[in-house]
Amino acid sequence: MAILGGLVLTVLVLLTVVSVTGRALNGVMHLGWVESLAGPLAQGLLDAGLGPITGDFELVEAGIAFTIFAFLPLAQISGSHATVDIFTSFLPISANRVLMALWEVLFAAALIVIAWRLYEGMQGKMRYNETTFLLQFPVWWAFAASFAAAVMAALVSSFTAAARVWEMLTGASVLPEFGEVDH
């Protein structure tokens, strides 16, 4: 999921760069002094479609929603979510295990609710044939992609919640306590 999310994010970044560059060049080609100097070349570039990518905001909006959910399973399974442990670092390991289990269970519940609501939203978008304004692609496509990624995140989060509860009850270490990043 993270690799797929990374690929989508890379495409979105490239799309944004091309669109912003095209928008800037389009503005430059409309400057009076550029039109007088470059004349037919400036007009030829504008006629060829030099400008922003139509629907770039719609594509970025749909893609980023998917990307966020695509990265969650890896962050969850590796324990790489950002944490602030100013107060909990002084607590005994058993108290920290209770807190970690509590947060994992709450996070799993939240992801399950989010996946459910994405499914319901997708059903509504399909029912009413809602499309984006500029590109006119069905909005439910973005909901479906985000729903699939959210289901995967909810499954991984449910596993990590069960593992943290097991750790709390048995004292065993199943999952990493923290991700790979040193703070």
Side-chain angles (χ1 to χ4, degrees):
M1 287 301 295
I3 290 170
L4 186 57
L7 291 173
V8 170
L9 186 59
T10 301
V11 168
L12 293 176
V13 167
L14 293 173
L15 171 93
T16 302
V17 167
V18 169
S19 188
V20 168
T21 303
R23 185 175 285 115
L25 290 175
N26 183 284
V28 168
M29 294 299 157
H30 279 97
L31 295 174
W33 65 272
V34 172
E35 286 178 341
S36 65
L37 284 175
L41 175 63
Q43 191 57 51
L45 289 171
L46 292 171
D47 291 343
L50 180 67
I53 295 174
T54 303
D56 57 346
F57 289 100
E58 295 172 353
L59 294 170
V60 169
E61 180 181 29
I64 287 296
F66 166 78
T67 301
I68 290 168
F69 288 111
F71 285 119
L72 281 176
L74 178 61
Q76 193 67 18
I77 197 81
S78 63
S80 297
H81 289 294
T83 60
V84 179
D85 58 358
I86 294 170
F87 301 110
T88 59
S89 62
F90 297 108
L91 295 175
I93 292 173
S94 59
N96 275 312
R97 286 186 179 211
V98 169
L99 287 173
M100 285 194 317
L102 171 71
W103 288 119
E104 294 282 353
V105 167
L106 291 174
F107 194 61
L111 281 173
I112 290 167
V113 169
I114 288 169
W116 164 50
R117 297 312 302 162
L118 278 169
Y119 177 78
E120 292 296 325
M122 179 183 69
Q123 293 297 312
K125 302 302 180 192
M126 289 172 75
R127 191 170 27 258
Y128 296 110
N129 295 318
E130 189 173 331
T131 61
T132 62
F133 182 69
L134 295 173
L135 296 178
Q136 295 294 302
F137 72 80
V139 175
W140 73 265
W141 292 355
F143 272 76
S146 295
F147 169 67
V151 166
M152 183 62 71
L155 289 171
V156 170
S157 187
S158 297
F159 167 77
T160 59
R164 293 294 184 200
V165 169
W166 178 257
E167 289 176 343
M168 178 188 71
L169 295 174
T170 66
S173 290
V174 178
L175 297 173
E177 289 187 31
F178 305 104
E180 300 290 322
V181 179
D182 291 325
H183 301 301

